[in-house]
Amino acid sequence: QVQFVESGGGLVQPGGSLRLSCVSSGFTLDYYAIGWFRQVPGKEREEVSCITSLDGSTTYADPVKGRFTISRDNAKSTVYLQMNSLKPEDTAVYFCETDLLSIQCSNFHNFNYWGQGNQVTVSS
């Protein structure tokens, strides 16, 4: 059974930092590209970042480029999202995702397995 457990979110002031963790189980993380998306109630999901399985190449959405960093530790079955210089518009529930097919990130907007999500709130 594919499972993701996200953690590390919370309330932070603008300009602050958080590191999200996504621990996977039920499959071998090493083999697949893993992404992060975020969602605000009533709005469509927004793809944030993705990391490939083979060489760890990364992709970022324009709103987070230069502020967010995705990484993976296959030995720990964990993917991370380091978020710096946070803005109020980053407030959302953050989910990690995969499709159990892709090794690259070209299709990460269609990934269809994700966890329960983790709330990130950026507010003063």
Side-chain angles (χ1 to χ4, degrees), residues 36-70:
W36 286 92
F37 72 91
R38 63 190 182 186
Q39 193 161 25
V40 175
K43 294 188 177 181
E44 291 189 0
R45 83 188 222 184
E46 178 185 21
E47 302 300 327
V48 172
S49 185
C50 183
I51 186 166
T52 63
S53 63
L54 293 179
D55 61 2
S57 297
T58 57
T59 300
Y60 297 96
D62 286 344
V64 307
K65 279 182 182 176
R67 300 188 297 120
F68 289 14
T69 303
I70 189 171

Side-chain angles (χ1 to χ4, degrees), residues 54-114:
L54 293 179
D55 61 2
S57 297
T58 57
T59 300
Y60 297 96
D62 286 344
V64 307
K65 279 182 182 176
R67 300 188 297 120
F68 289 14
T69 303
I70 189 171
S71 61
R72 62 193 298 157
D73 184 340
N74 291 333
K76 295 182 178 179
S77 298
T78 302
V79 176
Y80 302 98
L81 187 68
Q82 177 67 44
M83 305 186 295
N84 298 329
S85 302
L86 283 161
K87 304 176 181 180
E89 51 263 44
D90 295 318
T91 296
V93 179
Y94 285 72
F95 301 81
C96 54
E97 57 177 345
T98 188
D99 62 0
L100 295 184
L101 292 172
S102 300
I103 60 174
Q104 304 290 350
C105 289
S106 56
N107 192 44
F108 85 104
H109 55 286
N110 285 325
F111 284 2
N112 57 353
Y113 290 94
W114 55 81

